[in-house]
């Protein structure tokens, strides 16, 4: 590309070097802008609050890894972490199943109302969350699911269902029909086809939605803060916020708690960055 | 047709159920039972936890609801809303945010994508690095940026003082004139990577021949951008704009954690106001916030439809 650039503009090499230098500088600064805050957070998470107040930008030495132990044990972050894990893993597992089943039916079978059901499910993606928030609060109170992780998981399933169906429907529709015809000839029933063909063949797309849903629900704040009040049942986002409300000055410990919530996301990202990026963009391009 | 016969016997002798024999003629049809098994759970969740609550909120907007008691008040809530100054401030803030910020978002996304497309070194690393903030939760982003904006030791003021512009150092989130802009910048920081990745994917899917032809015609980058890339990316850019717009109409978490709508309602958005009225103020009335939610729901739907029309995108709305 550089060669074509030079050929196209026909400039001398020196200005080209100069403009490339400018570009590199801009990109470098931009990368610091995007990544710097996070790295700063990482350094603060292994420093004590006293050290941070002395100099917020110093390199962490010595490393106070015991901060993580303190946050985990003494500041209840272990509780928040396991609550988050329970709710998110449970919700994502159920969500993937019922989402995939619905997406398969919508993508594969011709029946009256197919596109209407798809359209109704899909349109709720634009709903502002407040339209369901207040009523969901009332409903969960009515059914004794308020302040329970089970209730929160149910709500999470409903929140991510439209996107899941939308992404999987698009993928399942591209599985060649021949595969299904052949399966029918082999005497597979409809449920077997779903179980033994759609799920294995659709695994890449299913994995993408799985990771996407995991991250979005792991980070979810609004519904958690409304539907959970018991400190024992807080998920990580509301746990961190509650901790910050109580210990506003304890910057080192807040940073450690924040890191605890971010580490699983970063691990997932390190392993599945391509899948994740593709999943998040799949909705926006067609 | 011997095939069909052998098929049928195979189906009979095999473990196939009645439904599969019935649908053998057209494999794209299924019995109602099969459809119900596949679609039932999803529709149940949708009806119970999305459609019913949405209708209930709209229904509730005509009542005053205190605890278990609901009193029908007709359109009183709506009349009150029209005269509610805080609501109008929230609407103004949300509209400023929703119409201005997406332009910034899409423009930065496109520029970043072009930089990567132009073949800078470490493009793969940069793409992954720039995308990272998208994955951080609003709680994390909000806390980080509250520290960045901190008056005494925040990065921004420290840098301003370091280059001798100490006069410009401000309490970014405490000044009503700056708070909204500060929160908008934070939101843009979080989402820049998303727009970049979408634009990059779209550029890569452009037909190679067109770009090569423009190279042969000695077309510079400016002209290429103006006459080829932007027109061809139009559908993607528009759907990104609308996507970004919808996101801003809903914005809650970031504002709630960073400023709680303050100072002096400078960053109040409709979402934070609904939350305040429903769960934070001691008004104990769920009817009035339902009214705000209903009105806003209609506004968002109308805005999306109008934007889709006005921007002339023939694409269906995505995401």
């Amino acid at each position: 590309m550089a060669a074509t650039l030079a050929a196209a503009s026909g400039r001398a090499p020196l200005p080209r070097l100069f403009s490339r230098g400018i570009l590199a500088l801009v990109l470098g600064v931009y990368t610091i802008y995007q990544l710097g805050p996070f790295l700063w957070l990482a350094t603060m998470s292994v420093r004590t609050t006293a050290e941070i107040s002395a100099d917020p930008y110093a390199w962490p030495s010595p490393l106070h890894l015991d901060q993580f132990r303190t946050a985990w044990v003494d500041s209840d972050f272990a509780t928040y972490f396991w609550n988050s894990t329970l709710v998110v893993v449970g919700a994502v597992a159920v969500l993937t199943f019922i989402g995939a089943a619905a997406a398969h039916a919508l993508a594969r079978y011709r029946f009256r109302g197919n596109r209407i059901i798809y359209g109704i499910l899909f349109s709720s993606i634009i709903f502002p969350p407040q339209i369901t928030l207040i009523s969901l609060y009332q409903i969960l109170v009515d059914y004794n699911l308020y302040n329970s992780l089970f209730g929160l998981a149910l709500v999470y399933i409903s929140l991510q269902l439209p996107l899941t169906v939308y992404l999987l429907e698009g993928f399942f529709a591209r599985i060649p029909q021949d595969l299904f015809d052949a399966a029918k000839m082999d005497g597979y029933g409809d449920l077997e086809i779903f179980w033994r063909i759609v799920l294995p063949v659709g695994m890449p797309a299913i994995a993408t939605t799985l990771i996407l849903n995991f991250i979005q629900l792991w980070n979810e704040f609004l519904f958690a803060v409304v539907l959970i009040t018991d400190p024992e049942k807080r998920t990580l986002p509301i746990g961190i916020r509650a901790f910050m409300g109580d210990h506003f000055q304890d910057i080192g410990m807040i940073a450690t708690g924040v890191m605890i919530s971010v580490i699983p996301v970063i691990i997932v990202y390190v392993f599945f960055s391509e899948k994740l990026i593709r999943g998040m963009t799949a909705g926006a391009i067609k | 047709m011997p095939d069909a016969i052998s098929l049928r016997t195979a189906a009979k002798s095999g473990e196939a159920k009645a439904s599969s024999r019935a649908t053998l003629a057209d494999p794209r049809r299924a019995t109602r039972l099969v459809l119900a098994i596949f679609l039932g759970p999803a529709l149940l969740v949708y009806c119970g936890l999305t459609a019913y609550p949405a209708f209930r909120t709209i229904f509730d907007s005509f009542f005053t609801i205190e605890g278990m008691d609901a009193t029908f008040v007709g359109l009183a809530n709506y009349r009150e809303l029209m005269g509610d100054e805080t609501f109008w401030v929230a609407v103004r803030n949300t509209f400023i945010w929703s119409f201005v910020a997406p332009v910034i978002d899409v423009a930065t996304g496109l520029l970043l994508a072009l930089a990567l497309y132009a073949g800078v070194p470490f493009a793969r690393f940069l793409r992954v690095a720039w995308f990272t903030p998208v994955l951080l939760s609003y709680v994390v982003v909000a806390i980080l940026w509250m520290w960045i904006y901190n008056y005494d030791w925040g990065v921004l003021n420290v840098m301003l003082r370091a280059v001798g512009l100490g006069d410009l150092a401000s309490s970014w989130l405490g000044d009503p004139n700056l708070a909204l802009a500060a929160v908008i910048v934070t939101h843009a920081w979080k989402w820049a990577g998303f727009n970049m990745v979408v634009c990059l994917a779209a550029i890569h899917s452009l037909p190679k021949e067109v770009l090569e032809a423009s190279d042969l015609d000695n077309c510079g980058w400016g002209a290429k951008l103006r006459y080829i890339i932007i027109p061809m990316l139009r559908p993607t850019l528009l759907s990104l704009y609308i996507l970004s717009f919808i996101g801003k109409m809903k914005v809650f978490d970031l504002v709630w954690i960073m400023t709680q709508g303050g100072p002096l309602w400078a960053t109040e958005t409709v979402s934070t106001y609904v939350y305040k009225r429903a769960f934070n103020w001691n008004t104990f009335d769920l009817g009035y916030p339902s009214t705000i939610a209903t009105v806003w729901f209609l506004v968002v739907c109308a805005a999306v439809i109008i934007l889709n029309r006005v921007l002339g995108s023939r694409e269906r709305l995505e995401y």
Side-chain angles (χ1 to χ4, degrees), chain B:
Chain B
M1 289 248 289
D3 271 35
I5 294 164
S6 66
L7 253 180
R8 194 152 300 172
T9 49
K12 243 177 214 162
S13 62
E15 47 193 343
K17 292 160 199 104
S19 64
S20 86
R21 224 178 310 139
T23 56
L24 206 57
D26 181 358
R28 304 213 83 165
R29 296 211 180 277
T31 58
R32 274 163 198 270
L33 178 69
V34 169
L35 288 178
I37 292 171
F38 281 136
L39 282 170
L43 287 181
L44 195 69
V45 167
Y46 179 82
C47 293
L49 293 164
T50 303
Y52 168 60
F55 280 116
R56 183 161 166 177
T57 302
I58 296 171
F59 183 74
D60 281 353
S61 69
F62 301 103
F63 290 83
T64 294
I65 297 166
E66 281 158 337
M68 288 289 119
D69 310 319
T71 334
F72 182 74
V73 292
L75 291 171
N77 284 336
Y78 287 87
R79 268 196 295 278
E80 190 186 335
L81 187 63
M82 291 304 112
D84 186 341
E85 280 180 37
T86 315
F87 171 70
W88 288 109
V89 172
V91 169
R92 198 203 60 169
N93 290 339
T94 315
F95 269 137
I96 292 176
W97 198 334
S98 313
F99 283 101
V100 177
V103 179
I104 308 171
D105 280 8
V106 177
T108 36
L110 182 61
L111 286 178
L112 293 172
L114 285 171
L116 292 190
Y117 183 73
V120 295
F122 310 115
R124 271 180 69 87
F125 164 77
L126 291 178
R127 190 173 74 117
V128 170
W130 294 347
F131 194 75
T132 312
V134 177
L135 305 171
L136 302 179
S137 71
Y138 279 115
V139 178
V140 174
V141 172
I143 292 175
L144 255 179
W145 279 81
M146 283 164 81
W147 290 339
I148 289 174
Y149 288 137
N150 185 290
Y151 184 78
D152 297 313
W153 49 270
V155 183
L156 198 53
N157 283 350
V158 166
M159 284 199 322
L160 284 173
R161 289 182 191 121
V163 295
L165 292 170
D167 294 349
L168 289 179
S170 343
S171 159
W172 300 98
L173 294 171
D175 182 338
N177 296 318
L178 297 171
L180 185 62
V183 183
I184 290 179
V185 167
T186 306
H187 204 272
W189 175 82
K190 176 171 159 59
W191 287 105
F194 174 77
N195 293 292
M196 177 267 298
V197 161
V198 175
C199 287
L200 188 63
I203 295 176
H204 276 301
S205 67
L206 290 181
K208 288 271 180 303
E209 304 79 35
V210 182
L211 291 170
E212 280 164 11
S214 71
D215 281 337
L216 292 178
D217 286 345
N218 268 350
C219 183
W221 269 102
K224 222 188 215 176
L225 190 63
R226 166 91 176 68
Y227 295 110
I228 301 172
I229 295 180
I230 289 181
M232 290 189 79
L233 288 189
R234 201 179 131 87
T236 305
L237 298 179
L238 289 181
S239 73
L240 268 185
Y241 183 92
I242 294 177
L243 206 61
S244 178
F245 175 85
I246 297 173
K248 268 79 187 173
M249 295 289 271
K250 298 177 184 176
V251 74
F252 170 81
D253 313 33
L254 196 67
V255 178
W256 186 247
I257 297 159
M258 288 179 85
T259 61
Q260 302 219 342
L264 291 173
W265 293 284
T267 55
E268 192 78 70
T269 64
V270 177
S271 303
T272 58
Y273 188 51
V274 171
Y275 179 85
K276 271 186 191 171
R277 289 302 295 247
F279 303 109
N280 203 250
W281 288 12
N282 294 327
T283 41
F284 299 114
D285 168 28
L286 292 178
Y288 187 67
S290 297
T291 310
I292 312 176
T294 305
V295 168
W296 200 242
F297 167 70
L298 297 175
V299 169
V300 172
C301 291
V304 170
I305 293 168
I306 292 171
L307 269 185
N308 249 352
R309 282 277 161 78
V310 170
L311 296 178
S313 80
R314 267 155 281 122
E315 313 283 297
R316 63 196 174 127
L317 174 72
E318 306 295 350
Y319 196 70

